[in-house]
Amino acid sequence: MTLPKIPLAGVIGHPIAHSKSPQVHGHWLRTLGLKGHYIPMDVAPENLKKVIKALPKMGFVGANVTIPHKEKVMELVHQVTDRATLIGAVNTLIIRDDGKIIGDNTDGYGFIENLRQGAPDWTPESGPAVVLGAGGAARAVIASLLDAGVPEILISNRTRVRAETLREEFGTRLTVVDWVQAGNAIENGATIVNTTSLGMTGKPELRVPLDGLNAGAVVTDLVYNPLKTHLLAAAEQAGCTTVDGLGMLLHQAVPGFERWFGMRPIVDDATRQAALR
Ligand code: NAP
């Protein structure tokens, strides 16, 4: 009698000890009563190629990929999805039965799902979005906001040229706003997103003027440590709807889990508690 194979998945990064993914996937495996394992894998850059190549032979059905490998891994897989190509990074690997590895990116999906869950009345078409920051996370946010149907994105970044590069890539629905003018852009925003690392524990505070926040805006921060950032506290004070960044991390994990382990998990308070444990 042959025993059924137990699916293996995990997260590849360097370092990896900080990752919340093993707690989240472990929580879903337990609560859904599924057989499977999800493990953290600390892989140094010089070993990435060998490790990726070995995954199918070791019984892995997939993996998440995190800092610093999200870009490099694109050239190590057999196929990259359109959305991962657009974002320029891969965070989820799907390993098919024939051993071929597909690289996908679920960050934009996670961002939008979190917004929809946290602000159910949010309508992308209701006005311009303001995106602060132009790093890797901003790319996923911009791609997903455009896909959701926002009419215009005002993007502002300390290093202006990075925002201009995104405008060239993502097109004319983007308008670049100088970093010193970011406060003015916020006055016009229906959806406001901080994609910079400012406000994170150990980093400087986000100093953009926030007195122009209007109560009708939906404000979200990708920073989730602390959960209530200065931006979210100010937005709450101004009467805006606020959505914290932890949900993005949780929602981006859903498509991979479903594909690897065969059931779609839900992101609820217990999932949040598992991540915060
Ligand atoms: P990144 O590529 O390194 O980009 C960092 C961004 O922050 C850039 O726009 C950078 O501006 C800006 N920045 C950094 N220090 C600054 C300062 N002192 N003043 C003004 N701007 C500053 O990082 P990333 O991957 O995009 O991640 C950004 C943040 O999002 C991180 O905190 C990350 O943890 C978080 N994140 C959260 C999720 C989630 O699931 N919630 C997912 C992805 C990322 P310059 O271009 O001028 O350097």
Side-chain angles (χ1 to χ4, degrees), residues 130-133 156 179-189 191-196 198-199 204-221 228-242:
V130 177
V131 173
L132 303 174
S156 189
W179 187 236
V180 292
Q181 299 293 327
N184 297 347
I186 282 174
E187 285 178 27
N188 300 311
T191 312
I192 307 206
V193 191
N194 176 38
T195 77
T196 75
L198 295 172
E205 201 44 87
L206 179 72
R207 295 269 172 234
V208 169
L210 299 171
D211 32 318
L213 279 168
N214 67 76
V218 173
V219 182
T220 185
D221 201 326
K228 193 187 280 189
T229 59
H230 170 63
L231 170 66
L232 294 185
E236 206 176 88
Q237 197 79 45
C240 308
T241 304
T242 60

Side-chain angles (χ1 to χ4, degrees), residues 130-163:
V130 177
V131 173
L132 303 174
R139 299 181 67 90
V141 166
I142 289 167
S144 63
L145 283 172
L146 291 175
D147 190 49
V150 295
E152 184 186 11
I153 295 178
L154 306 172
I155 176 167
S156 189
N157 192 50
R158 173 182 61 175
T159 311
R160 187 183 165 104
V161 66
R162 290 185 87 186

Side-chain angles (χ1 to χ4, degrees), residues 7 9-10 25 38 61-64 92-94 255-262:
H25 287 269
Y38 185 101
V61 290
N64 288 121
T92 304
L93 303 179
I94 310 291
F257 184 96
E258 181 178 25
R259 180 70 192 246
W260 306 326
F261 300 117

Side-chain angles (χ1 to χ4, degrees), residues 74-205:
M74 293 180 82
E75 50 192 78
L76 304 177
V77 298
H78 297 96
Q79 200 183 312
V80 176
T81 62
D82 288 347
R83 62 182 177 178
T85 304
L86 187 66
I87 294 167
V90 154
N91 75 341
T92 304
L93 303 179
I94 310 291
I95 300 174
R96 296 195 322 216
D97 290 344
D98 64 1
K100 295 267 184 290
I101 306 177
I102 316 300
D104 194 10
N105 193 310
T106 62
D107 276 340
Y109 164 86
F111 170 74
I112 293 289
E113 286 302 298
N114 185 40
L115 213 48
R116 291 199 191 281
Q117 187 179 46
D121 296 332
W122 177 67
T123 43
E125 304 82 10
S126 65
V130 177
V131 173
L132 303 174
R139 299 181 67 90
V141 166
I142 289 167
S144 63
L145 283 172
L146 291 175
D147 190 49
V150 295
E152 184 186 11
I153 295 178
L154 306 172
I155 176 167
S156 189
N157 192 50
R158 173 182 61 175
T159 311
R160 187 183 165 104
V161 66
R162 290 185 87 186
E164 280 164 358
T165 303
L166 291 184
R167 189 194 171 279
E168 277 160 31
E169 271 185 57
F170 285 96
T172 53
R173 273 199 279 164
L174 264 66
T175 303
V176 177
V177 176
D178 213 74
W179 187 236
V180 292
Q181 299 293 327
N184 297 347
I186 282 174
E187 285 178 27
N188 300 311
T191 312
I192 307 206
V193 191
N194 176 38
T195 77
T196 75
S197 46
L198 295 172
M200 196 167 133
T201 305
K203 300 268 179 181
E205 201 44 87

